[in-house]
Amino acid sequence: TPLLPRTAFAHLRRQAAALDALRPRLNACCHHHSPLPCARRAWTDVLDGFCTDEFGVKTRQFHCCRRHGAA
């Protein structure tokens, strides 16, 4: 995120923040007794948070945020 300009590109900053939030959770899953379900849970939690942030701004939301459930 430090390489992105301070003005505009807010959508890219939100995407980068989501990936930054995912990294430590995935690292923790590597030491978990069942890493795949842990990683899936981490991904869905971070993606849910990202989509919540996306719907909180008046720009076009990322396409995956309009899907529901397993989609």
Side-chain angles (χ1 to χ4, degrees):
T1 47
L3 299 176
L4 294 172
R6 289 193 180 271
T7 57
F9 300 100
H11 64 289
L12 292 178
R13 277 202 284 308
R14 287 190 299 276
Q15 291 175 16
L19 291 174
D20 287 344
L22 180 61
R23 187 174 295 118
R25 295 197 56 187
L26 286 180
N27 286 340
C29 288
C30 290
H31 306 291
H32 201 267
H33 66 279
S34 51
L36 187 57
C38 176
R40 184 176 294 142
R41 212 170 23 259
W43 171 248
T44 56
D45 289 350
V46 168
L47 189 58
D48 286 346
F50 169 75
C51 289
T52 299
D53 291 345
E54 282 286 283
F55 284 113
V57 294
K58 293 182 179 183
T59 59
R60 186 174 174 191
Q61 288 78 31
F62 198 70
H63 64 89
C64 68
C65 292
R66 292 187 296 264
R67 298 175 185 242
H68 299 283

Coordinates of all heavy atoms in Angstrom, one line a residue:
T1 N 0.8 -1.2 0.0 CA 0.0 0.0 0.0 C 0.8 1.3 0.0 O 0.3 2.3 -0.5 CB -1.0 0.0 1.2 OG1 -0.3 -0.4 2.4 CG2 -2.2 -0.9 1.0
P2 N 2.1 1.3 0.5 CA 2.8 2.6 0.5 C 3.1 3.1 -0.9 O 3.4 4.2 -1.1 CB 4.1 2.3 1.3 CG 4.0 0.9 1.8 CD 2.8 0.3 1.2
L3 N 3.1 2.2 -1.9 CA 3.4 2.6 -3.3 C 2.2 3.3 -4.0 O 2.4 3.8 -5.0 CB 3.9 1.4 -4.1 CG 5.1 0.7 -3.5 CD1 5.4 -0.6 -4.4 CD2 6.3 1.6 -3.6
L4 N 1.0 3.2 -3.4 CA -0.1 3.8 -4.0 C -0.2 5.2 -3.7 O 0.1 5.6 -2.6 CB -1.4 3.1 -3.5 CG -1.6 1.6 -4.0 CD1 -2.8 1.0 -3.2 CD2 -1.7 1.5 -5.4
P5 N -0.6 6.1 -4.7 CA -0.8 7.5 -4.4 C -1.8 7.7 -3.3 O -2.7 6.9 -3.1 CB -1.3 8.1 -5.7 CG -1.0 7.0 -6.7 CD -1.0 5.7 -6.0
R6 N -1.6 8.8 -2.6 CA -2.6 9.2 -1.5 C -3.9 9.5 -2.0 O -4.9 9.3 -1.3 CB -2.0 10.3 -0.6 CG -0.8 9.9 0.2 CD -0.5 11.0 1.2 NE 0.6 10.6 2.0 CZ 0.6 9.9 3.1 NH1 -0.6 9.5 3.6 NH2 1.7 9.6 3.8
T7 N -4.0 10.1 -3.1 CA -5.3 10.5 -3.7 C -5.8 9.5 -4.7 O -4.9 8.9 -5.4 CB -5.3 11.9 -4.3 OG1 -4.3 11.9 -5.3 CG2 -5.0 12.9 -3.3
A8 N -7.0 9.2 -4.8 CA -7.6 8.2 -5.7 C -7.1 6.9 -5.4 O -6.5 6.7 -4.3 CB -7.3 8.6 -7.2
F9 N -7.4 5.9 -6.1 CA -7.0 4.5 -5.9 C -7.5 3.9 -4.6 O -6.8 3.0 -4.1 CB -5.5 4.3 -6.1 CG -4.9 4.7 -7.4 CD1 -4.3 6.0 -7.6 CD2 -5.0 3.9 -8.5 CE1 -3.9 6.4 -8.8 CE2 -4.6 4.3 -9.7 CZ -4.0 5.5 -9.9
A10 N -8.5 4.4 -4.0 CA -9.0 3.9 -2.8 C -9.4 2.5 -2.9 O -9.3 1.7 -2.0 CB -10.2 4.8 -2.3
H11 N -10.0 2.1 -4.0 CA -10.4 0.7 -4.2 C -9.2 -0.2 -4.2 O -9.3 -1.3 -3.6 CB -11.2 0.6 -5.6 CG -10.3 0.8 -6.8 ND1 -9.9 2.1 -7.1 CD2 -9.8 0.0 -7.7 CE1 -9.2 2.0 -8.2 NE2 -9.1 0.7 -8.6
L12 N -8.1 0.2 -4.7 CA -6.9 -0.6 -4.6 C -6.3 -0.7 -3.2 O -5.8 -1.7 -2.8 CB -5.8 -0.1 -5.6 CG -6.1 -0.2 -7.1 CD1 -5.0 0.4 -7.9 CD2 -6.3 -1.7 -7.4
R13 N -6.5 0.4 -2.4 CA -6.0 0.4 -1.1 C -6.9 -0.6 -0.2 O -6.4 -1.2 0.6 CB -6.1 1.8 -0.5 CG -4.8 2.6 -0.8 CD -4.6 3.8 0.1 NE -5.4 5.0 0.0 CZ -5.6 5.7 -1.1 NH1 -5.1 5.3 -2.2 NH2 -6.3 6.8 -1.1
R14 N -8.2 -0.6 -0.5 CA -9.1 -1.5 0.2 C -8.7 -3.0 -0.1 O -8.6 -3.9 0.7 CB -10.5 -1.3 -0.1 CG -11.1 0.0 0.5 CD -12.6 0.1 0.4 NE -13.1 0.1 -1.0 CZ -13.1 1.2 -1.7 NH1 -12.7 2.4 -1.2 NH2 -13.6 1.2 -3.0
Q15 N -8.4 -3.2 -1.4 CA -7.9 -4.6 -1.8 C -6.6 -5.0 -1.1 O -6.5 -6.1 -0.6 CB -7.8 -4.7 -3.3 CG -9.1 -4.6 -4.1 CD -8.9 -4.5 -5.6 OE1 -7.9 -4.8 -6.1 NE2 -10.0 -4.1 -6.3
A16 N -5.7 -4.0 -1.1 CA -4.4 -4.3 -0.5 C -4.5 -4.5 1.0 O -3.9 -5.4 1.6 CB -3.4 -3.2 -0.8
A17 N -5.4 -3.8 1.6 CA -5.7 -3.9 3.1 C -6.2 -5.3 3.4 O -5.9 -5.9 4.4 CB -6.6 -2.8 3.6
A18 N -7.1 -5.8 2.5 CA -7.7 -7.1 2.7 C -6.6 -8.2 2.6 O -6.6 -9.1 3.4 CB -8.8 -7.4 1.7
L19 N -5.8 -8.0 1.6 CA -4.7 -9.0 1.5 C -3.7 -8.9 2.7 O -3.2 -10.0 3.1 CB -3.9 -8.8 0.2 CG -4.7 -9.1 -1.1 CD1 -3.9 -8.7 -2.3 CD2 -5.1 -10.6 -1.1
D20 N -3.4 -7.7 3.1 CA -2.6 -7.6 4.3 C -3.2 -8.2 5.5 O -2.5 -8.8 6.4 CB -2.3 -6.1 4.6 CG -1.3 -5.5 3.6 OD1 -0.6 -6.2 2.9 OD2 -1.3 -4.2 3.5
A21 N -4.5 -8.2 5.7 CA -5.2 -8.8 6.8 C -5.2 -10.3 6.7 O -5.2 -11.0 7.7 CB -6.7 -8.3 6.9
L22 N -5.2 -10.8 5.4 CA -5.2 -12.2 5.2 C -3.9 -12.9 5.6 O -3.9 -14.0 6.1 CB -5.6 -12.5 3.8 CG -5.7 -14.0 3.4 CD1 -6.8 -14.7 4.2 CD2 -6.0 -14.1 1.9
R23 N -2.8 -12.3 5.3 CA -1.5 -12.9 5.4 C -1.2 -13.4 6.8 O -0.9 -14.6 6.9 CB -0.4 -11.8 5.0 CG 1.0 -12.4 5.0 CD 2.0 -11.5 4.4 NE 1.7 -11.2 3.0 CZ 1.4 -9.9 2.6 NH1 1.3 -8.9 3.4 NH2 1.2 -9.7 1.3
P24 N -1.4 -12.7 7.9 CA -1.1 -13.3 9.2 C -2.1 -14.4 9.6 O -1.7 -15.3 10.3 CB -1.3 -12.1 10.2 CG -2.0 -11.0 9.4 CD -1.8 -11.3 8.0
R25 N -3.3 -14.3 9.1 CA -4.3 -15.4 9.4 C -3.9 -16.6 8.7 O -4.0 -17.7 9.3 CB -5.7 -14.9 9.0 CG -6.1 -13.7 9.9 CD -7.6 -13.5 9.9 NE -8.3 -14.7 10.3 CZ -9.6 -14.7 10.2 NH1 -10.3 -13.7 9.8 NH2 -10.3 -15.8 10.6
L26 N -3.4 -16.6 7.5 CA -3.0 -17.8 6.8 C -1.7 -18.3 7.4 O -1.6 -19.6 7.5 CB -2.7 -17.4 5.3 CG -3.9 -17.3 4.4 CD1 -3.5 -17.0 3.0 CD2 -4.8 -18.5 4.5
N27 N -0.8 -17.5 7.9 CA 0.4 -18.0 8.6 C 0.0 -18.7 9.8 O 0.6 -19.8 10.1 CB 1.3 -16.8 8.9 CG 2.0 -16.3 7.7 OD1 2.1 -16.9 6.7 ND2 2.5 -15.0 7.8
A28 N -1.0 -18.3 10.5 CA -1.5 -19.0 11.7 C -2.1 -20.3 11.4 O -2.0 -21.3 12.1 CB -2.5 -18.1 12.5
C29 N -2.8 -20.4 10.2 CA -3.4 -21.6 9.8 C -2.3 -22.7 9.5 O -2.6 -23.9 9.6 CB -4.2 -21.4 8.6 SG -5.8 -20.5 8.9
C30 N -1.1 -22.3 9.1 CA -0.1 -23.3 8.9 C 0.2 -24.1 10.1 O 0.7 -25.3 10.0 CB 1.2 -22.6 8.4 SG 1.0 -21.9 6.7
H31 N 0.0 -23.6 11.3 CA 0.3 -24.3 12.5 C -0.9 -24.9 13.1 O -0.9 -25.5 14.2 CB 1.0 -23.4 13.5 CG 2.2 -22.7 13.0 ND1 3.3 -23.3 12.7 CD2 2.4 -21.4 12.6 CE1 4.2 -22.5 12.2 NE2 3.7 -21.3 12.1
H32 N -2.0 -24.8 12.4 CA -3.3 -25.3 12.9 C -3.4 -26.8 12.6 O -2.8 -27.3 11.6 CB -4.5 -24.6 12.2 CG -5.8 -24.6 12.9 ND1 -6.7 -25.5 12.6 CD2 -6.3 -23.8 13.9 CE1 -7.8 -25.3 13.4 NE2 -7.5 -24.3 14.1
H33 N -4.2 -27.6 13.4 CA -4.3 -29.0 13.2 C -5.1 -29.4 11.9 O -4.9 -30.4 11.4 CB -4.9 -29.7 14.4 CG -6.4 -29.3 14.7 ND1 -6.7 -28.1 15.3 CD2 -7.5 -29.9 14.3 CE1 -8.0 -28.0 15.4 NE2 -8.5 -29.1 14.8
S34 N -5.9 -28.5 11.4 CA -6.6 -28.7 10.1 C -6.4 -27.4 9.3 O -7.3 -26.5 9.4 CB -8.0 -29.1 10.3 OG -8.7 -28.2 11.2
P35 N -5.3 -27.2 8.6 CA -5.0 -26.0 8.0 C -6.0 -25.5 6.8 O -6.2 -24.3 6.7 CB -3.6 -26.1 7.4 CG -3.4 -27.6 7.4 CD -4.3 -28.2 8.4
L36 N -6.5 -26.5 6.1 CA -7.4 -26.1 5.0 C -8.7 -25.4 5.5 O -9.0 -24.3 5.0 CB -7.7 -27.2 4.0 CG -8.4 -26.9 2.8 CD1 -7.7 -25.8 2.0 CD2 -8.6 -28.1 1.9
P37 N -9.4 -26.0 6.4 CA -10.6 -25.4 6.9 C -10.3 -24.0 7.5 O -11.1 -23.0 7.4 CB -11.2 -26.3 7.9 CG -10.7 -27.7 7.5 CD -9.3 -27.4 6.9
C38 N -9.2 -24.0 8.2 CA -8.7 -22.7 8.9 C -8.5 -21.6 7.8 O -9.0 -20.5 7.9 CB -7.5 -23.0 9.7 SG -6.7 -21.5 10.4
A39 N -7.8 -22.0 6.7 CA -7.5 -21.0 5.6 C -8.8 -20.6 4.9 O -9.0 -19.4 4.6 CB -6.6 -21.7 4.6
R40 N -9.7 -21.5 4.7 CA -11.0 -21.2 4.1 C -11.8 -20.2 5.0 O -12.4 -19.2 4.5 CB -11.8 -22.4 3.9 CG -13.1 -22.2 3.1 CD -13.9 -23.4 2.8 NE -13.1 -24.2 1.9 CZ -13.0 -25.5 1.9 NH1 -13.6 -26.2 2.8 NH2 -12.3 -26.2 1.0
R41 N -11.8 -20.4 6.3 CA -12.5 -19.5 7.2 C -11.8 -18.2 7.2 O -12.5 -17.1 7.2 CB -12.4 -20.2 8.6 CG -13.6 -19.8 9.5 CD -13.7 -20.6 10.8 NE -12.5 -21.2 11.3 CZ -12.1 -22.5 11.2 NH1 -12.9 -23.3 10.5 NH2 -11.0 -22.9 11.7
A42 N -10.5 -18.2 7.2 CA -9.7 -16.9 7.2 C -10.1 -16.1 5.9 O -10.4 -14.9 6.0 CB -8.2 -17.1 7.2
W43 N -10.1 -16.8 4.8 CA -10.4 -16.1 3.5 C -11.8 -15.6 3.5 O -12.0 -14.4 3.1 CB -10.2 -17.1 2.4 CG -10.7 -16.6 1.0 CD1 -11.8 -17.1 0.3 CD2 -10.2 -15.5 0.3 NE1 -12.0 -16.3 -0.8 CE2 -11.0 -15.4 -0.9 CE3 -9.1 -14.7 0.5 CZ2 -10.7 -14.4 -1.8 CZ3 -8.9 -13.7 -0.5 CH2 -9.7 -13.6 -1.6
T44 N -12.8 -16.4 4.0 CA -14.2 -15.9 3.9 C -14.4 -14.7 4.9 O -15.1 -13.8 4.6 CB -15.2 -17.0 4.2 OG1 -14.9 -17.6 5.5 CG2 -15.2 -18.0 3.1
D45 N -13.7 -14.8 6.1 CA -13.8 -13.7 7.0 C -13.2 -12.4 6.5 O -13.8 -11.3 6.6 CB -13.1 -14.0 8.3 CG -13.9 -15.1 9.2 OD1 -15.0 -15.4 8.8 OD2 -13.2 -15.6 10.1
V46 N -12.1 -12.5 5.9 CA -11.4 -11.3 5.3 C -12.2 -10.8 4.1 O -12.4 -9.6 4.0 CB -10.0 -11.6 4.9 CG1 -9.4 -10.5 4.0 CG2 -9.1 -11.8 6.1
L47 N -12.7 -11.7 3.3 CA -13.5 -11.3 2.1 C -14.8 -10.6 2.6 O -15.3 -9.6 2.0 CB -13.8 -12.5 1.2 CG -14.5 -12.2 -0.1 CD1 -13.6 -11.2 -0.9 CD2 -14.7 -13.4 -0.9
D48 N -15.5 -11.2 3.6 CA -16.7 -10.5 4.1 C -16.4 -9.1 4.6 O -17.2 -8.2 4.4 CB -17.3 -11.3 5.3 CG -18.0 -12.6 4.8 OD1 -18.2 -12.7 3.6 OD2 -18.2 -13.5 5.7
G49 N -15.3 -8.9 5.3 CA -14.9 -7.6 5.8 C -14.6 -6.7 4.6 O -15.0 -5.5 4.7
F50 N -13.9 -7.2 3.6 CA -13.6 -6.4 2.4 C -14.9 -5.9 1.8 O -15.1 -4.8 1.4 CB -12.8 -7.2 1.4 CG -12.6 -6.5 0.1 CD1 -11.8 -5.4 -0.1 CD2 -13.3 -7.0 -1.0 CE1 -11.7 -4.9 -1.3 CE2 -13.2 -6.5 -2.2 CZ -12.4 -5.4 -2.4
C51 N -15.9 -6.8 1.6 CA -17.1 -6.5 1.0 C -17.9 -5.5 1.8 O -18.6 -4.6 1.3 CB -17.9 -7.8 0.7 SG -17.2 -8.7 -0.7
T52 N -17.9 -5.6 3.1 CA -18.5 -4.7 4.0 C -18.0 -3.3 3.7 O -18.7 -2.3 3.6 CB -18.4 -5.1 5.5 OG1 -19.0 -6.3 5.7 CG2 -19.0 -4.0 6.4
D53 N -16.7 -3.2 3.6 CA -16.0 -1.9 3.3 C -16.4 -1.4 1.9 O -16.6 -0.2 1.8 CB -14.5 -2.1 3.4 CG -14.0 -2.3 4.8 OD1 -14.7 -2.0 5.8 OD2 -12.8 -2.7 5.0
E54 N -16.5 -2.3 1.0 CA -16.8 -1.9 -0.4 C -18.2 -1.3 -0.5 O -18.5 -0.4 -1.2 CB -16.8 -3.2 -1.3 CG -15.4 -3.5 -1.7 CD -14.8 -2.6 -2.8 OE1 -15.2 -2.7 -4.0 OE2 -14.0 -1.7 -2.4
F55 N -19.2 -1.9 0.3 CA -20.5 -1.4 0.2 C -20.7 -0.2 1.1 O -21.7 0.5 1.0 CB -21.5 -2.5 0.7 CG -21.8 -3.5 -0.4 CD1 -21.4 -4.8 -0.2 CD2 -22.4 -3.2 -1.6 CE1 -21.6 -5.8 -1.2 CE2 -22.7 -4.1 -2.6 CZ -22.2 -5.4 -2.4
G56 N -19.7 0.2 1.8 CA -19.7 1.4 2.7 C -19.3 2.6 1.9 O -19.3 3.7 2.5
V57 N -18.9 2.5 0.7 CA -18.5 3.7 -0.1 C -19.4 3.8 -1.3 O -20.0 2.8 -1.7 CB -17.0 3.6 -0.5 CG1 -16.1 3.6 0.7 CG2 -16.7 2.3 -1.3
K58 N -19.4 5.0 -1.9 CA -20.3 5.2 -3.0 C -19.6 5.0 -4.4 O -19.8 5.7 -5.3 CB -20.8 6.6 -3.0 CG -21.7 6.9 -1.8 CD -22.3 8.3 -1.8 CE -23.2 8.5 -0.6 NZ -23.8 9.8 -0.6
T59 N -18.9 3.9 -4.5 CA -18.3 3.6 -5.7 C -18.8 2.2 -6.2 O -19.5 1.6 -5.4 CB -16.7 3.5 -5.6 OG1 -16.4 2.6 -4.6 CG2 -16.1 4.9 -5.3
R60 N -18.5 1.8 -7.3 CA -18.9 0.5 -7.8 C -18.2 -0.6 -7.0 O -16.9 -0.6 -6.9 CB -18.6 0.4 -9.3 CG -19.1 -0.8 -9.9 CD -18.8 -0.8 -11.4 NE -19.2 -2.0 -12.0 CZ -19.0 -2.4 -13.2 NH1 -18.3 -1.6 -14.0 NH2 -19.3 -3.5 -13.7
Q61 N -18.9 -1.5 -6.5 CA -18.3 -2.5 -5.6 C -17.6 -3.6 -6.5 O -18.0 -3.8 -7.6 CB -19.4 -3.2 -4.8 CG -19.9 -2.4 -3.7 CD -20.9 -1.4 -4.2 OE1 -21.6 -1.6 -5.1 NE2 -21.0 -0.2 -3.5
F62 N -16.6 -4.2 -5.9 CA -15.9 -5.3 -6.5 C -16.9 -6.4 -6.9 O -17.8 -6.7 -6.1 CB -14.8 -5.8 -5.6 CG -13.7 -6.6 -6.2 CD1 -12.8 -6.0 -7.1 CD2 -13.6 -7.9 -6.0 CE1 -11.8 -6.7 -7.7 CE2 -12.6 -8.7 -6.7 CZ -11.7 -8.0 -7.5
H63 N -16.7 -7.0 -8.1 CA -17.7 -7.9 -8.6 C -18.0 -9.1 -7.7 O -19.2 -9.6 -7.6 CB -17.3 -8.4 -10.0 CG -16.1 -9.2 -9.9 ND1 -16.0 -10.6 -9.7 CD2 -14.8 -8.9 -10.1 CE1 -14.8 -11.0 -9.8 NE2 -14.0 -10.0 -10.0
C64 N -17.1 -9.6 -6.9 CA -17.3 -10.8 -6.1 C -18.2 -10.4 -4.9 O -18.8 -11.3 -4.3 CB -16.0 -11.4 -5.6 SG -15.0 -10.4 -4.5
C65 N -18.3 -9.2 -4.5 CA -19.0 -8.8 -3.3 C -20.5 -8.8 -3.6 O -21.3 -8.8 -2.7 CB -18.7 -7.4 -2.9 SG -17.0 -7.3 -2.2
R66 N -20.9 -8.9 -4.9 CA -22.4 -9.0 -5.2 C -22.9 -10.5 -5.2 O -24.0 -10.8 -5.4 CB -22.6 -8.4 -6.5 CG -22.5 -6.9 -6.5 CD -22.9 -6.2 -7.8 NE -22.1 -6.6 -8.9 CZ -21.0 -6.0 -9.4 NH1 -20.7 -4.8 -8.8 NH2 -20.4 -6.4 -10.4
R67 N -22.0 -11.4 -4.9 CA -22.3 -12.8 -4.9 C -22.6 -13.2 -3.4 O -22.2 -12.6 -2.5 CB -21.2 -13.7 -5.4 CG -20.9 -13.4 -6.9 CD -19.7 -14.1 -7.4 NE -19.4 -13.7 -8.7 CZ -19.4 -14.5 -9.8 NH1 -19.8 -15.8 -9.6 NH2 -19.1 -14.1 -11.0
H68 N -23.3 -14.3 -3.3 CA -23.8 -14.8 -2.0 C -23.5 -16.3 -1.8 O -23.4 -17.0 -2.7 CB -25.2 -14.5 -1.7 CG -25.6 -13.1 -1.8 ND1 -25.4 -12.2 -0.8 CD2 -26.2 -12.4 -2.8 CE1 -25.8 -11.0 -1.2 NE2 -26.3 -11.1 -2.4
G69 N -23.3 -16.7 -0.5 CA -23.1 -18.1 -0.2 C -21.8 -18.7 -0.8 O -20.8 -18.0 -0.9
A70 N -22.0 -19.9 -1.3 CA -20.8 -20.6 -1.9 C -20.3 -19.9 -3.2 O -19.1 -20.1 -3.6 CB -21.2 -22.0 -2.2
A71 N -21.2 -19.1 -3.8 CA -20.7 -18.4 -5.0 C -19.6 -17.4 -4.7 O -18.8 -17.1 -5.5 CB -21.9 -17.7 -5.7

